[in-house]
Amino acid sequence: MFKSHEELHGRASELKSCFYCSSPLPASTGEHIFNASWGGSHQTKRLICDNCNAEFGKSIDTSFKIYTDIVMNAYSFKGKRLKAIPPIQLEGNYFLDAGGKPKLKKPLVQKETQADGLIRANISFNSPEEGKKWVKGSGAESAESLFGRPLKQEEKDELLKRIREASYQSEYLQAQDASANLDLRSQYRSAAHTVLKCLGFFLPEWVCDDQTKQVRHFARYNESDWLLFAVDPEQHLSLADEVVRLLGLGVKHNSVEIYWCSYLRMVIGVVTILNRVKRSVVIAKDYSGPDKILYVFEDTHSSGQPPRAISVEMNSEKFSLPIIGIQYFASPTRIDHFFQNDFLSFVNTYYPIDCLINELITTIKEVNKTSVEVDGNLLDKYREAFIDFFTNLSKVSKQTIDLDKLLAKMSDYGFATLADKFIGKNCNDIDFNSSISKIFESLMNEFTQGYFL
């Protein structure tokens, strides 16, 4: 399938001037390869000048923030520049804290004055600590404000007792009404900019070639119609999918795949942000040459390490399909429909599922801390975690699952034989984790097909 493959090393130092405006390099401020708001951490002063960098930072690169905030919230992590995991603001009384946990924006007070003049109140808090603060505090958001007078000590004691004795009620994340003004022109300019930076970092001769002049002017100076560059790809071969599967990168990485395709006579760049959002752009036309792929990826762990790159050249005799197919977006009505539906699916389907997957991952990590070796107790806790996940998933999706069917399928897919294979082995054993992942993927497939109903 491949004529050759190799891991490339950075060559940005070969660029002596900004590939947009030809200002001399190095710059005085660093430019992220993958934007900091996406979790990118590596910076270099060897690609573009300070002025061009500042222009992208003003609004273009933040056009994806509506997506990246949701992913970072679901998986409870933040980018380099964020001070905290981004909350998701909702209309009404609630917002979604890290992991999609519904929380009140402020204590929710429902009060009723009865015929005898006494006030009957139902009060909701995010935590007992918040309730205690409300009782002991003063001002607009306090018990004194509700009752319209200072409270006697016995009244405070009674309220604090009720707060201590109150039971915690867990609320499951439900699908939310969502709408957004998507700045698609800026998103595709940002995607093109990211592809060009990857080319500049690993293949500087390409980013300065006349073939990329049009997309450079689009990205930097907003020239031309963005629809000339925006395409919907069909990737017949994706190095990204393979690397993600092998390395388990998950959402905490960003990547770019660049396809040199003789069949299309084009160079196409596919940007994937946090393994959830894709934008594909035409980088060059009238290409003639070998079919090849450059795959570039960087994690979001603030390591500051440069992205890694793998380059492969295709053997067309052994891989007869074109490596990528594309279609342009046809009309304003279809464009709006496509991207709005994509955003709604992102918010109402992937976000709540991602929140639950992150909760499952966190639970398994905690279990692994208490049981280093695989034993019956560890497997029982894994089983409970799987059951909790699919039970909560059924509530989010407003379905009812049959637990007997779930347990039967867990057994069919190999959960029952894990003890025979792995008892005594370390819980971080690659084969053990691979088996757990395969069981989970199989169960998710069964759930989506409605088998557990």
Side-chain angles (χ1 to χ4, degrees), residues 325-387:
I326 62 165
Q327 63 179 17
Y328 284 92
F329 296 103
S331 68
T333 302
R334 289 181 63 184
I335 293 166
D336 183 68
H337 181 75
F338 178 90
F339 285 102
Q340 287 295 336
N341 282 354
D342 180 69
F343 179 73
L344 288 173
S345 295
F346 188 83
V347 173
N348 291 331
T349 301
Y350 297 110
Y351 174 57
I353 293 175
D354 279 348
C355 290
L356 293 176
I357 289 175
N358 181 57
E359 187 174 333
L360 175 63
I361 292 170
T362 302
T363 299
I364 287 177
K365 286 181 178 178
E366 291 300 317
V367 170
N368 290 349
K369 289 180 181 179
T370 60
S371 303
V372 177
E373 290 187 352
V374 178
D375 57 18
N377 181 54
L378 179 138
L379 292 175
D380 285 343
K381 289 180 178 179
Y382 271 45
R383 182 182 289 105
E384 291 173 9
F386 273 42
I387 292 171

Side-chain angles (χ1 to χ4, degrees), residues 65-79 82 84-89 95-102 173 251 274 346 351-352 354-356 358-359:
K65 191 174 186 296
I66 192 170
Y67 292 94
T68 55
D69 278 0
I70 290 171
V71 179
M72 290 180 181
N73 177 280
Y75 285 91
S76 300
F77 74 103
K78 61 184 181 69
L82 299 179
I85 297 165
I88 306 301
Q89 297 299 328
F95 72 95
L96 299 178
D97 203 1
K101 303 297 184 185
L173 174 65
V251 300
L274 299 178
F346 188 83
Y351 174 57
D354 279 348
C355 290
L356 293 176
N358 181 57
E359 187 174 333

Side-chain angles (χ1 to χ4, degrees), residues 20 31 34-38 48 51-68 81 181-197 215-223 226 271 273 279 281:
Y20 287 123
E31 159 71 13
F34 292 96
N35 191 259
S37 65
W38 310 349
I48 64 175
N51 185 46
C52 289
N53 186 14
E55 284 299 312
F56 281 100
K58 287 179 182 177
S59 62
I60 298 169
D61 282 331
T62 58
S63 59
F64 285 106
K65 191 174 186 296
I66 192 170
Y67 292 94
T68 55
R81 288 181 177 169
N181 294 319
L182 302 177
D183 186 351
L184 296 176
R185 171 177 283 274
S186 290
Q187 288 184 12
Y188 277 95
R189 289 178 68 192
S190 179
H193 177 49
T194 303
V195 175
L196 290 168
K197 285 185 289 185
V215 74
R216 275 183 279 145
H217 282 218
F218 164 66
R220 173 63 177 87
Y221 303 108
N222 200 16
E223 293 182 3
W226 67 274
V271 179
I273 301 171
R279 294 291 182 264
V281 293

Side-chain angles (χ1 to χ4, degrees), residues 86 243 292 320 391 440:
V243 173
K292 54 185 179 179
S320 57
T391 300
F440 176 74

